[in-house]
Amino acid sequence: MKRIIAPSILSADFGNLQRDIEMLDRSAAEWVHIDVMDGDFVPNISFGFPVMSVVRKTTRKVLDVHLMISHPERYLRRFVEAGADYVTFHHEATSAPRQAIAEIHSVGAKAGVSVKPATAVEEIFDYLAELDMVLIMSVEPGFGGQSFIPESLDKVRRLRDEIDRNGYNCLIEIDGGISVKNIREVFDAGVDVVVAGSSVFGAENPEEEIVKMLNV
Ligand code: DX5
Ligand code: ZN
């Protein structure tokens, strides 16, 4: 199984965004996680295309875009054009997940779906075969710095079983409340990609923190 860290730039210093992205570019993190919020699907607004283009220009790492927006189908293509490698939309935000996946694939990116803490992961099993990634939210989407919801690990295990039983080529990502303190049990539950915002950017030395998280 892979072990990938995807630092979330939601916790970066936006006054020094380029410096922070350059730090991630040098770091052991293979991905950069980009949280897009629209003030409708979640009670917060983050950033959009202009910030995406700064990130894309500054690093060649895999750009992992997490869309916390209503009706994501309106913008999927534009995020891929702005440099997204993975585009993940929310299961709860669309009534046509299969079309969304097909649209992301048609413009050459990988497609992910995310489920909020209150959504059973089984709800996405009927289109799991078409996905490149499932993102399990381990906090309520909208804000960095919240506490990890322990029940998320059961969801990860159920999803891991379903993926392995069917031989699907689908990554499991988890997002929210993860640090060196709990990352080992997260990886042990079957996660491939860990998103980390405050634990990376709040660390005295973020680059060292990423290495520690990979080596627990
Ligand atoms: C929350 C975002 C997360 C967030 C994680 O809505 O999806 O990516 O930045 O932050 P931490 O790691 O601080 O919980
Ligand atoms: Zn996220």
Side-chain angles (χ1 to χ4, degrees):
M1 198 171 300
K2 293 178 200 256
R3 280 188 169 202
I4 293 170
I5 305 284
S8 165
I9 62 157
L10 192 61
S11 296
D13 175 356
F14 285 91
N16 291 289
L17 185 59
Q18 189 167 348
R19 181 203 64 191
D20 280 4
I21 305 298
E22 283 166 0
M23 177 279 290
L24 293 181
D25 196 57
R26 289 190 305 269
S27 79
E30 290 180 51
W31 291 18
V32 176
H33 186 80
I34 299 176
D35 286 306
V36 178
M37 305 178 184
D38 67 350
D40 184 54
F41 182 72
V42 289
N44 197 9
I45 297 177
S46 57
F47 47 74
F49 303 112
V51 169
M52 269 293 293
S53 72
V54 172
V55 182
R56 184 69 293 171
K57 265 189 277 175
T58 312
T59 180
R60 303 191 66 180
K61 300 249 162 153
V62 171
L63 296 193
D64 170 34
V65 175
H66 176 195
L67 297 179
M68 286 162 275
I69 67 175
S70 302
H71 308 297
E73 49 283 344
R74 293 177 297 181
Y75 294 106
L76 298 169
R77 192 174 280 266
R78 280 193 63 192
F79 278 101
V80 177
E81 285 164 5
D85 297 294
Y86 280 77
V87 178
T88 296
F89 60 89
H90 266 267
H91 174 73
E92 303 87 356
T94 178
S95 52
R98 284 199 166 83
Q99 275 111 295
I101 295 165
E103 166 122 21
I104 296 166
H105 285 157
S106 75
V107 284
K110 306 266 194 199
V113 76
S114 182
V115 288
K116 297 210 273 184
T119 304
V121 71
E122 286 74 12
E123 284 193 28
I124 60 122
F125 282 4
D126 60 332
Y127 60 94
L128 185 55
E130 292 153 52
L131 287 162
D132 302 293
M133 183 161 78
V134 177
L135 167 53
I136 304 288
M137 284 309 300
S138 44
V139 298
E140 282 302 330
F143 300 90
Q146 304 178 71
S147 303
F148 183 79
I149 299 171
E151 291 75 25
S152 317
L153 293 181
D154 288 332
K155 270 187 181 174
V156 169
R157 290 186 197 103
R158 301 201 305 267
L159 177 60
R160 180 86 268 159
D161 276 357
E162 184 72 9
I163 289 172
D164 292 351
R165 221 164 35 81
N166 291 286
Y168 294 146
N169 189 11
C170 178
L171 296 173
I172 302 179
E173 183 176 47
I174 194 162
D175 185 0
I178 297 153
S179 69
V180 276
K181 294 202 181 104
N182 57 2
I183 196 168
R184 176 189 277 264
E185 54 178 342
V186 163
F187 278 132
D188 286 350
V191 166
D192 305 284
V193 186
V194 167
V195 177
S198 46
S199 59
V200 167
F201 286 99
E204 202 139 314
N205 184 330
E207 279 187 70
E208 273 175 22
E209 197 67 18
I210 292 165
V211 172
K212 275 189 210 153
M213 291 175 92
L214 283 167
N215 293 325
V216 285

